Amino acid sequence: MLKNASDTVITFNDDGGGGTNSRIPASSGTYTLPTTGNFIIEVTSYSSLKVGAYTLLVNTPAPISPCSPVLQISKWVDTYGALQTSDCQTGARGAGYYTDSYYFIGKAGERIVIDYMVAFDSYVFLRNPAGTVITSDTGSGSLTNSRIPSSGTFTLPTSGIYVIEVTSYFEARTGSYRLHLTSN
């Protein structure tokens, strides 16, 4: 069942159709949350005192980015990639700049650091859940490694899916990189 932050049930599915799986909404499609805020997902058995393993899947909307595919990045884990001539060229930097995109789910007030480490001139962008670029960095003078923010931490203004775009400072650059996302 799905509850709001006040612990009031707003929808549920007990799979009255004879199967063992439940889904919200019960039919195919998606469920639109009635308000912005925190919600509680409560999982229980139909009959009392039943125990066993289960899998819970929560699907979220696709990240907003002009580049695809947008790969998920895990916080606190190094991600390795390479800019290639086959990469997207419609990112924030524009045509002629090969771009890779990564997404993560952030919360309003969360403090993050994005480290983009490369052997070529770099540029990193951060898009908010609406798809708007909200900050970027070109390497703070050295042009090689980029960091958001250039020092300290960056506070996410809203909750949702954020997109990191990594590219080069100069056109048509390719090469390997390491990307690292830290969070409070």
Side-chain angles (χ1 to χ4, degrees):
M1 71 183 65
L2 183 63
K3 297 179 177 182
N4 63 19
S6 301
D7 206 35
T8 302
V9 175
I10 56 175
T11 188
F12 70 95
N13 177 262
D14 63 7
D15 194 45
T20 59
N21 296 328
S22 297
R23 183 182 195 283
I24 296 175
S27 61
S28 63
T30 59
Y31 179 80
T32 302
L33 296 172
T35 61
T36 300
N38 295 318
F39 294 87
I40 302 164
I41 299 172
E42 188 173 294
V43 179
T44 187
S45 63
Y46 182 77
S47 301
S48 62
L49 302 176
K50 296 290 183 180
V51 296
Y54 64 88
T55 301
L56 176 66
L57 300 174
V58 179
N59 295 320
T60 56
I64 298 175
S65 173
C67 291
S68 64
V70 182
L71 305 173
Q72 186 170 14
I73 186 170
S74 297
K75 296 171 185 172
W76 298 99
V77 176
D78 284 342
T79 299
Y80 295 90
L83 294 182
Q84 303 171 5
T85 57
S86 60
D87 286 342
C88 170
Q89 293 186 51
T90 57
R93 191 80 172 121
Y97 299 90
Y98 307 123
T99 304
D100 286 345
S101 297
Y102 297 88
Y103 78 92
F104 67 94
I105 298 172
K107 292 183 179 180
E110 181 178 1
R111 294 184 318 265
I112 65 159
V113 174
I114 301 168
D115 286 304
Y116 174 43
M117 293 144 286
V118 296
F120 53 87
D121 303 325
S122 65
Y123 216 130
V124 62
F125 296 88
L126 179 64
R127 291 182 183 271
N128 66 12
T132 304
V133 173
I134 56 173
T135 189
S136 63
D137 185 61
T138 62
S140 302
S142 72
L143 294 182
T144 52
N145 296 336
S146 296
R147 184 182 192 276
I148 292 178
S150 57
S151 65
T153 59
F154 180 83
T155 303
L156 299 178
T158 60
S159 296
I161 300 172
Y162 286 81
V163 173
I164 301 167
E165 290 184 2
V166 295
T167 188
S168 60
Y169 185 80
F170 296 106
E171 285 188 50
R173 301 285 192 216
T174 59
S176 299
Y177 61 82
R178 181 169 55 108
L179 184 62
H180 191 85
L181 171 64
T182 56
S183 170
N184 61 340

